[in-house]
Amino acid sequence: MSNTNLWYTRCPVPTAFSLAIRLGWLDQEFAADGISITSLLQSSDRNVRESHFSHTQANSFRHGGNAPPIWARSVGSDVKLIGLSWTDAPQVLLTLPGSGIKSVADLKGRRLALPRRTLDSIDFARSGTLQSYETALATAGLTLKDVELVEIVVDRGYLDDSGSTSKDGTLFNAFQNRSFQREEIAAFLQGKVDVISSNGPRAVDFQALLGAQVIYDAATNPNRLAWVNNSYPYTFTVSGKLLEEQPELVTRLLVKTLEAAEWAKSHHSDAVRIVALELGVAEEFVERSFGPNLSQQFDVNFSPENVAALRLRKEFLLKHGFLGGDFDIDQWIVTGPLEEAKRIVAAHRKQTATSKPKAQELAEAL
Protein backbone atom coordinates (compact mmCIF):
# COMPACT_ATOMS: atom_id res chain seq x y z
CA MET A 1 0.00 0.00 0.00
CA SER A 2 3.06 2.27 0.26
CA ASN A 3 3.80 4.92 -2.37
CA THR A 4 0.08 5.47 -2.89
CA ASN A 5 -0.66 9.12 -3.48
CA LEU A 6 -4.14 10.41 -2.70
CA TRP A 7 -5.24 13.82 -3.94
CA TYR A 8 -8.01 16.09 -2.74
CA THR A 9 -9.70 19.39 -3.42
CA ARG A 10 -12.50 21.28 -1.72
CA CYS A 11 -14.56 24.36 -2.44
CA PRO A 12 -14.39 27.43 -0.17
CA VAL A 13 -17.48 26.32 1.75
CA PRO A 14 -18.11 24.74 5.18
CA THR A 15 -17.48 20.99 5.04
CA ALA A 16 -16.33 18.39 7.53
CA PHE A 17 -13.74 17.37 4.95
CA SER A 18 -12.13 20.81 5.23
CA LEU A 19 -12.14 20.49 9.02
CA ALA A 20 -10.39 17.11 8.84
CA ILE A 21 -7.78 18.55 6.48
CA ARG A 22 -7.06 21.60 8.64
CA LEU A 23 -6.94 19.50 11.82
CA GLY A 24 -4.28 17.29 10.25
CA TRP A 25 -6.34 14.16 10.75
CA LEU A 26 -6.01 12.88 7.17
CA ASP A 27 -2.21 13.05 7.27
CA GLN A 28 -2.23 11.25 10.63
CA GLU A 29 -4.56 8.54 9.34
CA PHE A 30 -2.49 7.57 6.31
CA ALA A 31 1.13 8.43 7.19
CA ALA A 32 1.91 5.13 8.94
CA ASP A 33 1.00 3.24 5.76
CA GLY A 34 3.29 5.35 3.61
CA ILE A 35 0.31 6.98 1.91
CA SER A 36 0.60 10.64 1.07
CA ILE A 37 -2.53 12.76 0.80
CA THR A 38 -2.10 16.04 -0.99
CA SER A 39 -4.09 19.03 -2.17
CA LEU A 40 -4.33 19.63 -5.92
CA LEU A 41 -2.67 22.96 -5.08
CA GLN A 42 0.59 21.06 -4.51
CA SER A 43 0.85 20.60 -8.28
CA SER A 44 1.81 23.53 -10.48
CA ASP A 45 0.32 21.69 -13.46
CA ARG A 46 -2.83 23.52 -14.54
CA ASN A 47 -4.35 20.25 -15.81
CA VAL A 48 -4.03 18.70 -12.34
CA ARG A 49 -5.66 21.72 -10.71
CA GLU A 50 -8.46 21.64 -13.30
CA SER A 51 -9.44 18.28 -11.81
CA HIS A 52 -11.36 20.36 -9.26
CA PHE A 53 -13.91 20.66 -12.06
CA SER A 54 -13.24 17.66 -14.32
CA HIS A 55 -12.43 15.08 -11.62
CA THR A 56 -9.84 13.51 -13.92
CA GLN A 57 -6.94 13.28 -11.45
CA ALA A 58 -6.43 9.68 -10.35
CA ASN A 59 -7.00 8.76 -6.70
CA SER A 60 -8.73 12.03 -5.89
CA PHE A 61 -11.47 13.23 -3.57
CA ARG A 62 -13.58 16.38 -3.83
CA HIS A 63 -16.11 17.99 -1.47
CA GLY A 64 -18.01 21.11 -2.43
CA GLY A 65 -20.43 22.61 -4.93
CA ASN A 66 -22.45 20.15 -6.98
CA ALA A 67 -22.33 21.54 -10.54
CA PRO A 68 -18.75 20.47 -11.41
CA PRO A 69 -19.07 16.79 -10.36
CA ILE A 70 -22.54 16.49 -11.93
CA TRP A 71 -21.09 17.93 -15.13
CA ALA A 72 -18.00 15.71 -14.90
CA ARG A 73 -20.18 12.62 -14.58
CA SER A 74 -22.34 13.76 -17.52
CA VAL A 75 -19.31 13.95 -19.83
CA GLY A 76 -18.02 10.53 -18.83
CA SER A 77 -15.48 11.18 -16.06
CA ASP A 78 -14.84 8.24 -13.75
CA VAL A 79 -16.32 9.77 -10.61
CA LYS A 80 -18.57 8.33 -7.91
CA LEU A 81 -20.71 10.06 -5.31
CA ILE A 82 -19.94 8.94 -1.74
CA GLY A 83 -21.84 11.50 0.31
CA LEU A 84 -23.87 14.70 0.50
CA SER A 85 -23.95 17.56 2.99
CA TRP A 86 -25.97 20.71 3.58
CA THR A 87 -25.15 23.94 5.41
CA ASP A 88 -27.75 26.69 5.81
CA ALA A 89 -26.65 30.04 4.36
CA PRO A 90 -28.20 33.13 2.76
CA GLN A 91 -28.83 32.83 -0.97
CA VAL A 92 -30.02 36.26 -1.98
CA LEU A 93 -30.96 38.66 -4.74
CA LEU A 94 -29.57 42.13 -4.07
CA THR A 95 -30.39 45.62 -5.35
CA LEU A 96 -29.01 49.05 -4.55
CA PRO A 97 -30.88 51.71 -2.59
CA GLY A 98 -33.01 53.86 -4.86
CA SER A 99 -33.68 51.16 -7.44
CA GLY A 100 -37.37 51.12 -6.60
CA ILE A 101 -37.25 47.35 -6.20
CA LYS A 102 -38.77 46.24 -2.91
CA SER A 103 -39.86 42.67 -3.68
CA VAL A 104 -39.65 39.92 -6.28
CA ALA A 105 -42.85 41.21 -7.90
CA ASP A 106 -40.98 44.42 -8.74
CA LEU A 107 -38.47 42.51 -10.88
CA LYS A 108 -40.73 42.37 -13.91
CA GLY A 109 -38.96 44.12 -16.78
CA ARG A 110 -35.83 44.81 -14.72
CA ARG A 111 -32.21 43.97 -15.57
CA LEU A 112 -30.67 40.99 -13.79
CA ALA A 113 -26.92 40.28 -14.02
CA LEU A 114 -26.05 36.85 -15.42
CA PRO A 115 -22.32 35.98 -15.50
CA ARG A 116 -20.79 34.01 -18.35
CA ARG A 117 -17.35 32.67 -17.51
CA THR A 118 -15.67 31.97 -20.84
CA LEU A 119 -12.59 30.09 -19.60
CA ASP A 120 -14.08 27.54 -17.20
CA SER A 121 -15.07 24.04 -18.29
CA ILE A 122 -18.33 24.21 -16.34
CA ASP A 123 -19.89 27.61 -15.69
CA PHE A 124 -21.11 26.81 -12.20
CA ALA A 125 -21.52 30.51 -11.37
CA ARG A 126 -23.92 31.05 -14.25
CA SER A 127 -25.87 27.92 -13.36
CA GLY A 128 -26.25 28.99 -9.74
CA THR A 129 -27.28 32.52 -10.62
CA LEU A 130 -29.80 31.36 -13.20
CA GLN A 131 -31.39 28.92 -10.76
CA SER A 132 -31.56 31.60 -8.05
CA TYR A 133 -33.46 33.87 -10.43
CA GLU A 134 -35.80 31.15 -11.64
CA THR A 135 -36.63 30.06 -8.09
CA ALA A 136 -37.17 33.60 -6.82
CA LEU A 137 -39.28 34.72 -9.78
CA ALA A 138 -41.58 31.73 -9.37
CA THR A 139 -42.59 32.97 -5.90
CA ALA A 140 -44.24 35.98 -7.60
CA GLY A 141 -45.70 34.06 -10.52
CA LEU A 142 -42.95 35.28 -12.86
CA THR A 143 -40.49 33.47 -15.13
CA LEU A 144 -37.13 34.26 -16.69
CA LYS A 145 -39.03 35.60 -19.71
CA ASP A 146 -40.42 38.42 -17.55
CA VAL A 147 -36.98 39.94 -16.88
CA GLU A 148 -33.99 41.10 -18.90
CA LEU A 149 -30.97 38.87 -18.30
CA VAL A 150 -27.85 40.97 -18.86
CA GLU A 151 -24.82 38.85 -19.69
CA ILE A 152 -21.71 39.80 -17.75
CA VAL A 153 -18.71 38.29 -19.54
CA VAL A 154 -15.88 37.09 -17.32
CA ASP A 155 -12.74 36.48 -19.37
CA ARG A 156 -10.65 34.94 -16.60
CA GLY A 157 -10.50 31.44 -15.25
CA TYR A 158 -11.58 30.63 -11.73
CA LEU A 159 -8.19 29.02 -11.07
CA ASP A 160 -6.10 31.88 -12.47
CA ASP A 161 -5.26 33.25 -9.02
CA SER A 162 -4.85 29.94 -7.18
CA GLY A 163 -1.40 30.92 -5.97
CA SER A 164 1.79 29.02 -5.23
CA THR A 165 1.98 25.32 -4.45
CA SER A 166 0.95 24.03 -1.03
CA LYS A 167 0.53 20.51 0.32
CA ASP A 168 -2.72 21.12 2.19
CA GLY A 169 -3.80 24.56 0.98
CA THR A 170 -7.00 25.32 -0.84
CA LEU A 171 -7.13 26.29 -4.51
CA PHE A 172 -9.28 29.27 -3.55
CA ASN A 173 -7.50 31.96 -1.56
CA ALA A 174 -8.94 35.12 -0.01
CA PHE A 175 -7.99 37.34 -2.97
CA GLN A 176 -9.61 34.94 -5.39
CA ASN A 177 -12.80 34.61 -3.38
CA ARG A 178 -13.11 38.37 -2.92
CA SER A 179 -12.73 38.95 -6.67
CA PHE A 180 -15.19 36.25 -7.72
CA GLN A 181 -18.04 38.64 -8.66
CA ARG A 182 -15.83 41.57 -9.67
CA GLU A 183 -17.40 42.07 -13.10
CA GLU A 184 -20.95 41.80 -11.77
CA ILE A 185 -20.27 44.37 -9.05
CA ALA A 186 -18.79 46.76 -11.62
CA ALA A 187 -21.93 46.50 -13.76
CA PHE A 188 -24.04 46.90 -10.61
CA LEU A 189 -22.32 50.12 -9.55
CA GLN A 190 -22.27 51.49 -13.10
CA GLY A 191 -26.03 51.16 -13.32
CA LYS A 192 -25.92 48.55 -16.09
CA VAL A 193 -27.95 46.06 -14.03
CA ASP A 194 -30.55 46.41 -11.30
CA VAL A 195 -30.03 43.10 -9.50
CA ILE A 196 -27.26 40.62 -8.73
CA SER A 197 -27.38 37.22 -7.07
CA SER A 198 -24.99 36.18 -4.31
CA ASN A 199 -24.71 33.84 -1.36
CA GLY A 200 -22.92 33.12 1.90
CA PRO A 201 -20.35 35.55 3.35
CA ARG A 202 -19.92 37.20 -0.05
CA ALA A 203 -23.53 38.38 0.09
CA VAL A 204 -22.99 39.72 3.61
CA ASP A 205 -19.88 41.52 2.39
CA PHE A 206 -21.84 43.24 -0.40
CA GLN A 207 -24.51 44.36 2.02
CA ALA A 208 -21.87 45.86 4.31
CA LEU A 209 -19.74 47.46 1.59
CA LEU A 210 -22.38 48.62 -0.89
CA GLY A 211 -25.42 49.02 1.30
CA ALA A 212 -27.07 46.48 -1.00
CA GLN A 213 -30.59 45.49 -0.01
CA VAL A 214 -32.02 41.97 0.00
CA ILE A 215 -35.01 41.43 -2.28
CA TYR A 216 -35.24 37.69 -1.79
CA ASP A 217 -33.46 35.07 0.30
CA ALA A 218 -34.08 31.43 -0.60
CA ALA A 219 -33.01 30.44 2.91
CA THR A 220 -36.21 31.97 4.30
CA ASN A 221 -38.35 29.51 2.34
CA PRO A 222 -39.65 26.75 4.68
CA ASN A 223 -39.49 24.29 1.76
CA ARG A 224 -35.79 23.43 1.72
CA LEU A 225 -36.07 21.95 -1.76
CA ALA A 226 -36.70 25.51 -2.93
CA TRP A 227 -33.12 26.27 -1.87
CA VAL A 228 -31.59 23.87 -4.40
CA ASN A 229 -28.57 25.39 -6.09
CA ASN A 230 -24.84 24.80 -6.50
CA SER A 231 -24.43 24.73 -2.72
CA TYR A 232 -27.54 22.68 -1.97
CA PRO A 233 -26.50 19.99 -1.51
CA TYR A 234 -22.70 19.83 -1.39
CA THR A 235 -21.33 16.71 -3.07
CA PHE A 236 -18.54 14.44 -1.82
CA THR A 237 -16.98 12.51 -4.70
CA VAL A 238 -14.09 10.15 -5.40
CA SER A 239 -12.30 8.65 -8.37
CA GLY A 240 -14.20 5.55 -9.46
CA LYS A 241 -11.11 3.40 -9.94
CA LEU A 242 -9.84 4.15 -6.43
CA LEU A 243 -13.22 3.23 -4.97
CA GLU A 244 -13.26 -0.01 -6.95
CA GLU A 245 -9.69 -1.09 -6.19
CA GLN A 246 -9.13 0.25 -2.66
CA PRO A 247 -12.52 0.91 -1.04
CA GLU A 248 -10.98 0.63 2.43
CA LEU A 249 -9.04 3.85 1.82
CA VAL A 250 -12.25 5.63 0.91
CA THR A 251 -13.91 4.36 4.08
CA ARG A 252 -10.97 5.45 6.23
CA LEU A 253 -11.10 8.96 4.80
CA LEU A 254 -14.83 9.12 5.40
CA VAL A 255 -14.32 8.01 9.01
CA LYS A 256 -12.00 10.95 9.68
CA THR A 257 -14.46 13.29 7.93
CA LEU A 258 -17.36 12.06 10.06
CA GLU A 259 -15.22 12.39 13.20
CA ALA A 260 -14.48 15.99 12.23
CA ALA A 261 -18.22 16.60 11.92
CA GLU A 262 -18.67 15.21 15.45
CA TRP A 263 -15.76 17.29 16.74
CA ALA A 264 -17.36 20.48 15.39
CA LYS A 265 -20.47 19.97 17.50
CA SER A 266 -18.51 20.68 20.68
CA HIS A 267 -15.97 23.09 19.16
CA HIS A 268 -18.10 25.80 17.57
CA SER A 269 -15.58 28.64 17.79
CA ASP A 270 -12.76 26.49 16.43
CA ALA A 271 -14.96 25.28 13.56
CA VAL A 272 -15.90 28.88 12.73
CA ARG A 273 -12.21 29.82 12.71
CA ILE A 274 -11.38 27.04 10.25
CA VAL A 275 -14.31 27.91 7.99
CA ALA A 276 -13.22 31.56 8.00
CA LEU A 277 -9.73 30.47 6.99
CA GLU A 278 -11.10 28.29 4.21
CA LEU A 279 -13.28 31.10 2.84
CA GLY A 280 -10.80 33.91 3.41
CA VAL A 281 -13.28 36.02 5.36
CA ALA A 282 -13.69 37.43 8.86
CA GLU A 283 -15.07 35.06 11.49
CA GLU A 284 -17.90 37.53 12.07
CA PHE A 285 -19.02 37.07 8.47
CA VAL A 286 -19.04 33.29 8.97
CA GLU A 287 -21.24 33.70 12.04
CA ARG A 288 -23.57 36.11 10.22
CA SER A 289 -23.84 33.87 7.16
CA PHE A 290 -24.14 30.39 8.62
CA GLY A 291 -25.58 31.19 12.03
CA PRO A 292 -25.27 29.54 15.44
CA ASN A 293 -26.16 26.08 14.08
CA LEU A 294 -23.16 25.87 11.73
CA SER A 295 -21.23 23.51 13.99
CA GLN A 296 -24.20 21.12 14.02
CA GLN A 297 -24.49 20.91 10.22
CA PHE A 298 -21.32 19.19 9.04
CA ASP A 299 -22.76 15.68 8.77
CA VAL A 300 -22.24 13.72 5.55
CA ASN A 301 -25.16 11.52 4.56
CA PHE A 302 -27.56 10.34 1.89
CA SER A 303 -30.73 11.61 3.54
CA PRO A 304 -33.86 11.41 1.36
CA GLU A 305 -34.08 15.22 1.34
CA ASN A 306 -30.48 15.64 0.19
CA VAL A 307 -30.87 13.05 -2.55
CA ALA A 308 -34.13 14.67 -3.69
CA ALA A 309 -32.33 18.02 -3.82
CA LEU A 310 -29.55 16.49 -5.89
CA ARG A 311 -32.06 15.12 -8.39
CA LEU A 312 -33.66 18.56 -8.76
CA ARG A 313 -30.27 20.15 -9.28
CA LYS A 314 -29.28 17.69 -11.99
CA GLU A 315 -32.63 18.19 -13.74
CA PHE A 316 -32.10 21.96 -13.72
CA LEU A 317 -28.58 21.69 -15.13
CA LEU A 318 -29.77 19.31 -17.84
CA LYS A 319 -32.78 21.48 -18.74
CA HIS A 320 -30.61 24.57 -19.20
CA GLY A 321 -27.88 22.90 -21.23
CA PHE A 322 -25.07 22.77 -18.68
CA LEU A 323 -24.51 19.02 -18.96
CA GLY A 324 -23.00 16.77 -21.61
CA GLY A 325 -25.88 14.32 -21.26
CA ASP A 326 -28.22 12.65 -18.80
CA PHE A 327 -27.32 9.90 -16.34
CA ASP A 328 -28.93 7.90 -13.54
CA ILE A 329 -28.39 9.44 -10.10
CA ASP A 330 -29.03 6.09 -8.40
CA GLN A 331 -26.19 4.46 -10.34
CA TRP A 332 -23.89 7.37 -9.49
CA ILE A 333 -24.44 7.02 -5.76
CA VAL A 334 -22.32 4.49 -3.85
CA THR A 335 -23.53 4.15 -0.27
CA GLY A 336 -21.31 1.32 1.00
CA PRO A 337 -18.24 3.28 2.15
CA LEU A 338 -20.29 5.86 4.04
CA GLU A 339 -22.43 3.19 5.68
CA GLU A 340 -19.29 1.37 6.84
CA ALA A 341 -17.69 4.62 8.02
CA LYS A 342 -20.78 5.51 10.06
CA ARG A 343 -20.73 2.02 11.62
CA ILE A 344 -17.08 2.46 12.60
CA VAL A 345 -17.64 5.93 14.06
CA ALA A 346 -20.67 4.68 16.03
CA ALA A 347 -18.63 1.78 17.41
CA HIS A 348 -15.84 4.17 18.46
CA ARG A 349 -18.37 6.43 20.14
CA LYS A 350 -19.89 3.51 22.04
CA GLN A 351 -16.48 2.26 23.11
CA THR A 352 -15.50 5.71 24.35
CA ALA A 353 -18.74 6.09 26.28
CA THR A 354 -18.32 2.75 28.07
CA SER A 355 -14.65 3.30 28.87
CA LYS A 356 -15.22 6.62 30.68
CA PRO A 357 -17.06 5.16 33.70
CA LYS A 358 -14.31 2.54 34.13
CA ALA A 359 -11.69 5.27 34.13
CA GLN A 360 -13.70 7.21 36.69
CA GLU A 361 -14.00 4.11 38.92
CA LEU A 362 -10.24 3.61 38.77
CA ALA A 363 -9.60 7.25 39.64
CA GLU A 364 -11.95 7.06 42.62
CA ALA A 365 -10.29 3.85 43.85
CA LEU A 366 -6.92 5.55 43.81
Side-chain angles (χ1 to χ4, degrees):
M1 194 178 291
S2 62
N3 299 321
T4 298
N5 186 23
L6 302 178
W7 294 85
Y8 63 77
T9 182
R10 74 278 197 189
C11 291
V13 296
T15 66
F17 188 45
S18 294
L19 298 182
I21 292 167
R22 292 287 183 177
L23 291 168
W25 292 359
L26 300 185
D27 286 331
Q28 294 171 16
E29 173 65 21
F30 295 110
D33 297 317
I35 300 172
S36 66
I37 180 160
T38 308
S39 168
L40 293 181
L41 187 61
Q42 176 67 17
S43 175
S44 57
D45 186 336
R46 178 62 178 251
N47 290 328
V48 172
R49 294 186 176 191
E50 283 287 346
S51 184
H52 179 82
F53 301 111
S54 63
H55 222 303
T56 52
Q57 181 64 28
N59 300 336
S60 65
F61 295 84
R62 180 189 186 279
H63 198 176
N66 56 52
I70 293 174
W71 169 79
R73 172 62 185 82
S74 79
V75 297
S77 292
D78 181 26
V79 54
K80 292 293 186 180
L81 183 66
I82 54 174
L84 297 169
S85 63
W86 184 298
T87 305
D88 294 348
Q91 184 174 277
V92 301
L93 303 192
L94 298 171
T95 193
L96 291 174
S99 70
I101 301 174
K102 302 298 182 183
S103 68
V104 174
D106 297 327
L107 292 179
K108 188 170 184 178
R110 304 306 290 263
R111 301 165 301 169
L112 280 58
L114 182 62
R116 180 166 66 85
R117 304 186 70 93
T118 62
L119 300 180
D120 293 325
S121 51
I122 168 64
D123 197 344
F124 66 93
R126 183 182 182 87
S127 77
T129 298
L130 194 63
Q131 189 159 17
S132 290
Y133 290 154
E134 185 174 90
T135 300
L137 289 167
T139 65
L142 301 174
T143 71
L144 294 171
K145 295 180 179 180
D146 293 310
V147 299
E148 179 185 352
L149 297 175
V150 179
E151 287 218 336
I152 308 297
V153 178
V154 181
D155 287 325
R156 55 191 175 93
Y158 193 34
L159 298 179
D160 286 354
D161 297 313
S162 292
S164 57
T165 59
S166 169
K167 181 182 182 300
D168 59 1
T170 172
L171 287 168
F172 311 106
N173 54 53
F175 179 89
Q176 190 177 29
N177 288 328
R178 192 79 191 280
S179 66
F180 181 64
Q181 291 188 262
R182 180 191 299 155
E183 291 80 359
E184 292 167 76
I185 291 299
F188 200 32
L189 294 179
Q190 292 166 7
K192 296 179 180 179
V193 298
D194 303 307
V195 173
I196 63 170
S197 171
S198 193
N199 64 351
R202 193 177 295 116
V204 174
D205 189 12
F206 294 157
Q207 291 174 66
L209 180 65
L210 308 177
Q213 299 172 342
V214 175
I215 305 165
Y216 174 79
D217 184 354
T220 63
N221 194 318
N223 175 15
R224 286 164 64 89
L225 292 182
W227 301 21
V228 172
N229 208 291
N230 189 51
S231 296
Y232 302 109
Y234 296 132
T235 47
F236 204 163
T237 48
V238 66
S239 301
K241 186 176 181 181
L242 177 65
L243 179 60
E244 179 181 356
E245 296 181 350
Q246 301 187 74
E248 71 285 354
L249 295 185
V250 178
T251 297
R252 288 170 63 183
L253 183 138
L254 283 169
V255 166
K256 306 316 292 184
T257 300
L258 293 175
E259 289 178 346
E262 284 295 309
W263 170 88
K265 291 178 180 179
S266 57
H267 295 80
H268 179 84
S269 296
D270 293 326
V272 166
R273 192 167 299 115
I274 291 175
V275 171
L277 183 62
E278 287 283 296
L279 276 63
V281 300
E283 292 174 31
E284 178 187 343
F285 277 17
V286 172
E287 294 277 18
R288 282 176 174 265
S289 299
F290 304 109
N293 292 326
L294 170 63
S295 54
Q296 311 302 309
Q297 294 188 326
F298 285 101
D299 187 36
V300 178
N301 57 59
F302 278 118
S303 71
E305 184 177 54
N306 278 351
V307 174
L310 182 69
R311 293 185 195 281
L312 290 174
R313 179 63 170 154
K314 190 208 72 169
E315 290 171 6
F316 175 87
L317 292 171
L318 185 64
K319 170 186 172 183
H320 289 277
F322 290 99
L323 304 184
D326 199 3
F327 63 92
D328 189 334
I329 287 288
D330 292 327
Q331 292 183 5
W332 191 36
I333 292 173
V334 180
T335 61
L338 185 59
E339 290 173 348
E340 176 63 9
K342 284 185 176 289
R343 185 195 66 76
I344 292 171
V345 171
H348 287 173
R349 189 186 304 118
K350 183 177 180 180
Q351 183 179 17
T352 301
T354 56
S355 64
K356 284 184 177 179
K358 293 180 180 179
Q360 291 173 356
E361 289 177 8
L362 180 60
E364 291 173 359
L366 295 174

